[in-house]
């Protein structure tokens, strides 16, 4: 019985670890691949007060795509991400919209 329990725990850890690696490395997100997301990071890195406050090059520390706050529709987006500079971390909220004439 104890051997069966060890096999069960080991297989659970193996599948759980495999799923975690898949979600963090190979799962593509509609949000992170959108222009709203990449443009927001680029704009933040070009905004001098944010760079001075957070320090250095700002990058995304954590992004929870399952957060109900994060919504991307055809012409509007709301995104929340945790960003980190050399000095500090902060929540970064993005609210964006697109005109009909702008390319997707």
């Amino acid at each position: 019985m104890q051997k069966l329990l060890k096999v069960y725990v080991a297989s659970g850890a193996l599948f759980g670890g495999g799923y975690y690696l898949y979600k963090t490395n190979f799962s593509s997100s509609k949000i992170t691949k959108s222009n709203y997301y990449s443009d927001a990071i680029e704009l933040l890195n070009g905004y001098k007060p944010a760079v001075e406050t957070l320090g250095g090059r700002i990058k995304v520390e954590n992004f929870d795509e399952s957060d109900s706050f994060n919504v991307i529709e055809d012409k509007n987006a709301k995104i929340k991400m945790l960003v980190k500079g050399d000095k500090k971390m902060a929540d970064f909220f993005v609210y964006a919209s697109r005109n009909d004439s702008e390319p997707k």
Side-chain angles (χ1 to χ4, degrees):
M1 181 71 169
Q2 198 170 24
K3 186 175 183 177
L4 184 61
L5 180 62
K6 287 181 183 178
V7 170
Y8 178 72
V9 170
S11 63
L14 180 65
F15 288 118
Y19 178 75
Y20 174 78
L21 288 174
Y22 169 76
K23 287 297 283 180
T24 56
N25 295 320
F26 302 111
S27 176
S28 62
S29 166
K30 176 184 173 186
I31 296 174
T32 58
K33 291 190 178 231
S34 73
N35 287 345
Y36 291 118
Y37 183 88
S38 56
D39 289 351
I41 302 300
E42 188 177 322
L43 285 170
L44 183 63
N45 274 299
Y47 186 58
K48 191 174 180 179
V51 173
E52 288 173 355
T53 301
L54 297 176
R57 180 108 179 114
I58 300 168
K59 59 186 175 189
V60 177
E61 181 70 16
N62 186 18
F63 175 70
D64 182 7
E65 62 186 80
S66 66
D67 188 338
S68 62
F69 181 87
N70 298 319
V71 176
I72 289 192
E73 297 168 345
D74 197 29
K75 295 182 184 175
N76 298 305
K78 281 189 333 179
I79 305 170
K80 178 180 113 180
M81 59 188 95
L82 181 64
V83 294
K84 179 180 180 184
D86 293 333
K87 294 191 259 181
K88 295 181 181 180
M89 294 174 74
D91 281 324
F92 178 43
F93 294 88
V94 178
Y95 298 89
S97 62
R98 180 185 325 250
N99 294 332
D100 286 332
S101 60
E102 294 178 12
K104 290 186 180 181

